[in-house]
Amino acid sequence: MSKMRGRILIPLPNTGSMGRKRNNFYMRSIFLLALCIFGLLQYHNFNYLDSRDNVLGDAVTNDSDDAILAMVPAPLHKYLTPHSRNHSGAATTGTMGVLGAPLLLNSSSSGAATATTISFDVYHPPNISEIKRQIVRYNDMQLVLNEDTFGPLQNDSVIIVVQVHTRITYLRHLIVSLAQAQDITKVLLVFSHDYYDEDINDLVQQIDFCKVLQIFYPYSIQTHPHEYPGVDPNDCQRNIKKDQAMISNCNNALYPDLYGHYREAKFTQTKHHWIWKANRVFNELEVTRYHTGLVLFLEEDHYVAEDFLYLLAMMQKRTKDLCPQCNVLSLGTYLKTFNYYTYHSKLHARVRLVKIDSQSIINDYRKVEVMPWVSSKHNMGFAFNRTTWTNIRKCARHFCTYDDYNWDWSLQHVSQQCLQRKLHAMIVKGPRVFHIGECGVHHKNKNCESNQVISKVQHVLRIARTSHQLFPRSLTLTVPSLSKKTKLRKGNGGWGDLRDHELCLNMTLATR
């Protein structure tokens, strides 16, 4: 016990081991908590992206008139609102007539209005003689609408030429898409008609966002219903045998097409119209006399992205270093409508697995390819200048005598067989021109005014806009996969009539 009392207890130095244990415990707890919070945030973010994609996907299927209208800015609704001319009927006094026209009142001697039925005049469309006069008047006037607002056409401005038939519903949506494009105020918008329709004329003349000019193909089936280039009563029937045709002495009996068939006016008109409008724009209009810029070809059932002019200018500027041999620029490619949506979805899917730079996906819509112009791939939303047209016109005989009723196949034949400098195109991989027409010369669906494709394109462009795929700052040239050399193809026929050859050749003459 005495020994225990004599021991002096000396405190050991503080090594900090307990403190380190406590700190490690706290750090691990904080790290685990942060990891949990991060996981919850990521889970919430992915669920949000999925839900947004689902909403967009569901919206794509909503092709009602109201849904489509909701995607269009309110000031442009006027282009989508039909105004029927066929108004007739009766109304009582004291009311407003159709289209807001006030009715006249029949009054009694006492001055009181009596309930009187008033009939309206039925709208009568113009007859063929009047249509011909109007066509001559329009073509002679060459009136450029809105020139006082936007100024004269500049030599290097873009001219947009739209080939129009009768599908006013699609035309309305094309006009809406054009109205939303950047720099649209600088262009001259030319509508080339092969059918005279006053409702279509009213729609076109309502345009107030750029300069507008209407031209009318003067040799249409509408104005020549019972004579060439319409259907002459003595024309050979399509499937009649040549020997029978010669016995009957029907028109052009000696020259069926390469498949033994005779002319069908409804198919030949489109090729005639195309070559006529091109020659009209480059060689006959006064407003284009000194024009040296691009002419972009569209059709009534196309739809453009808001950056199509921006991208076209960028492509034109880069041809010198990216593709000196290119003489055609193409903004429309026949890709699946949901290309933008596909890339958008891939972006979300890949983020879940690994962190990536979203710009790598967006870069795909900065890419262009160069290749020989192919009619079946590059005939939508393509542009060239006067130099290229002059070379094409010199090969008019190859175009006009090639036994194919398609203008694009005939143009490719010209490139392969006549042009010293063949048509070579720069093509944008992310299309800026879309095809919305469900019906036309080659396709007849049950619902030819379907909203489905229009709705899809609207949502595709909305996704492209929100994911910053439009208005790229630069272009990147990609080398397309090596493909077999395009072979000379046998024509589709429908163009054996010598009258068509002659008419076509006459329409390539410069009259200015």
Side-chain angles (χ1 to χ4, degrees):
M1 292 294 295
S2 60
K3 290 182 179 179
M4 291 294 294
R5 290 190 188 104
R7 180 178 294 178
I8 300 174
L9 298 178
I10 302 175
L12 296 174
N14 185 5
T15 62
S17 60
M18 292 300 295
R20 283 196 299 273
K21 289 180 180 180
R22 285 194 299 270
N23 289 341
N24 287 340
F25 174 77
Y26 293 146
M27 290 297 293
R28 288 173 184 166
S29 300
I30 293 172
F31 176 77
L32 289 175
L33 181 61
L35 190 63
C36 291
I37 293 173
F38 177 77
L40 289 173
L41 289 174
Q42 289 294 93
Y43 177 77
H44 173 75
N45 185 48
F46 291 146
N47 283 340
Y48 167 74
L49 293 176
D50 283 343
S51 64
R52 187 172 66 172
D53 279 349
N54 290 335
V55 169
L56 289 172
D58 292 341
V60 167
T61 62
N62 186 356
D63 53 11
S64 66
D65 290 338
D66 290 340
I68 290 177
L69 201 62
M71 295 285 286
V72 175
L76 303 182
H77 287 185
K78 61 183 180 181
Y79 299 122
L80 299 177
T81 306
H83 298 284
S84 176
R85 290 174 174 271
N86 295 318
H87 49 276
S88 62
T92 57
T93 60
T95 63
M96 296 296 287
V98 176
L99 302 180
L103 302 183
L104 298 177
L105 296 175
N106 286 341
S107 301
S108 65
S109 57
S110 61
T114 59
T116 306
T117 300
I118 300 178
S119 297
F120 293 93
D121 292 333
V122 177
Y123 168 72
H124 296 286
N127 57 33
I128 292 176
S129 297
E130 177 60 24
I131 288 174
K132 286 182 177 180
R133 284 194 293 270
Q134 293 291 350
I135 287 176
V136 170
R137 184 176 69 89
Y138 272 107
N139 287 344
D140 285 346
M141 285 175 52
Q142 300 187 29
L143 178 63
V144 178
L145 303 176
N146 306 323
E147 191 175 33
D148 55 340
T149 302
F150 300 105
L153 177 70
Q154 301 300 309
N155 291 342
D156 59 349
S157 295
V158 175
I159 296 176
I160 301 174
V161 185
V162 183
Q163 186 157 323
V164 183
H165 186 49
T166 61
R167 295 177 293 172
I168 190 172
T169 297
Y170 293 127
L171 181 61
R172 291 183 185 279
H173 288 278
L174 170 62
I175 291 172
V176 165
S177 69
L178 289 167
Q180 298 177 79
Q182 180 174 295
D183 295 329
I184 193 65
T185 58
K186 300 177 182 179
V187 311
L188 171 63
L189 185 55
V190 180
F191 292 89
S192 183
H193 306 266
D194 60 26
Y195 190 88
Y196 185 92
D197 180 89
E198 294 192 344
D199 286 333
I200 292 178
N201 292 344
D202 288 347
L203 171 63
V204 170
Q205 292 162 19
Q206 193 179 5
I207 293 174
D208 57 9
F209 51 80
C210 68
K211 296 181 288 292
V212 174
L213 173 64
Q214 287 180 277
I215 59 177
F216 289 83
Y217 173 60
Y219 311 110
S220 68
I221 299 174
Q222 181 192 28
T223 55
H224 301 77
H226 306 302
E227 60 180 335
Y228 179 86
V231 182
D232 190 297
N234 194 44
D235 281 349
C236 299
Q237 296 298 311
R238 178 184 185 274
N239 295 321
I240 191 173
K241 300 299 182 182
K242 183 176 180 180
D243 55 351
Q244 295 175 331
M246 293 178 65
I247 293 173
S248 66
N249 197 30
C250 57
N251 294 331
N252 199 57
L254 291 173
Y255 302 99
D257 69 8
L258 55 84
Y259 298 101
H261 299 143
Y262 288 95
R263 178 181 191 270
E264 292 180 275
K266 63 182 179 180
F267 293 121
T268 60
Q269 177 169 273
T270 303
K271 179 174 174 177
H272 281 308
H273 185 184
W274 191 90
I275 196 71
W276 176 86
K277 77 176 182 188
N279 188 67
R280 178 77 174 163
V281 170
F282 281 108
N283 294 329
E284 295 183 352
L285 295 177
E286 285 301 316
V287 69
T288 63
R289 178 184 288 271
Y290 304 107
H291 183 259
T292 57
L294 290 173
V295 174
L296 174 69
F297 294 89
L298 299 176
E299 297 180 15
E300 63 185 10
D301 60 350
H302 290 171
Y303 196 100
V304 299
E306 62 198 64
D307 70 338
F308 83 104
L309 288 170
Y310 169 89
L311 196 69
L312 184 65
M314 184 179 289
M315 292 169 69
Q316 183 183 23
K317 185 177 181 180
R318 295 299 307 277
T319 52
K320 294 180 180 179
D321 56 296
L322 293 182
C323 182
Q325 75 274 27
C326 286
N327 48 16
V328 177
L329 303 178
S330 181
L331 295 176
T333 51
Y334 287 94
L335 302 174
K336 291 183 179 179
T337 304
F338 277 89
N339 259 13
Y340 288 99
Y341 182 74
T342 299
Y343 280 111
H344 194 55
S345 299
K346 284 181 180 178
L347 176 61
H348 291 169
R350 291 174 63 186
V351 160
R352 300 182 185 204
L353 300 176
V354 60
K355 182 180 180 182
I356 65 168
D357 180 7
S358 62
Q359 202 66 26
S360 64
I361 297 297
I362 297 173
N363 281 340
D364 284 334
Y365 289 89
R366 295 177 175 179
K367 293 178 181 178
V368 293
E369 295 179 331
V370 296
M371 63 183 68
W373 189 82
V374 179
S375 62
S376 60
K377 296 179 180 180
H378 312 137
N379 62 357
M380 181 174 62
F382 70 102
F384 53 76
N385 60 20
R386 185 183 298 277
T387 301
T388 301
W389 165 251
T390 300
N391 293 330
I392 292 172
R393 192 169 69 88
K394 290 177 181 177
C395 295
R397 185 163 294 277
H398 284 77
F399 183 93
C400 292
T401 61
Y402 182 56
D403 195 357
D404 194 307
Y405 66 94
N406 296 289
W407 64 263
D408 51 349
W409 281 57
S410 302
L411 192 58
Q412 183 166 332
H413 175 77
V414 166
S415 176
Q416 293 176 329
Q417 290 294 294
C418 183
L419 293 179
Q420 291 184 350
R421 183 185 177 189
K422 300 186 185 305
L423 297 180
H424 212 85
M426 180 187 290
I427 305 107
V428 62
K429 292 194 70 175
R432 264 57 175 196
V433 177
F434 298 84
H435 183 254
I436 60 174
E438 289 289 276
C439 299
V441 174
H442 302 286
H443 304 285
K444 295 293 181 184
N445 291 346
K446 291 182 179 180
N447 183 4
C448 287
E449 302 297 348
S450 172
N451 288 343
Q452 185 176 6
V453 177
I454 297 171
S455 177
K456 284 181 180 179
V457 171
Q458 284 180 329
H459 286 279
V460 163
L461 291 176
R462 179 182 178 184
I463 292 169
R465 188 182 309 113
T466 56
S467 56
H468 309 292
Q469 298 186 41
L470 302 179
F471 298 99
R473 294 183 180 180
S474 61
L475 293 179
T476 304
L477 178 63
T478 63
V479 179
S481 58
L482 296 177
S483 58
K484 296 180 180 179
K485 186 177 180 180
T486 304
K487 296 181 179 180
L488 294 177
R489 298 178 299 181
K490 187 178 181 181
N492 292 296
W495 200 265
D497 198 310
L498 297 186
R499 294 174 297 175
D500 287 324
H501 299 180
E502 183 179 0
L503 176 62
C504 178
L505 286 168
N506 288 337
M507 291 191 301
T508 61
L509 301 176
T511 60
R512 192 195 297 130

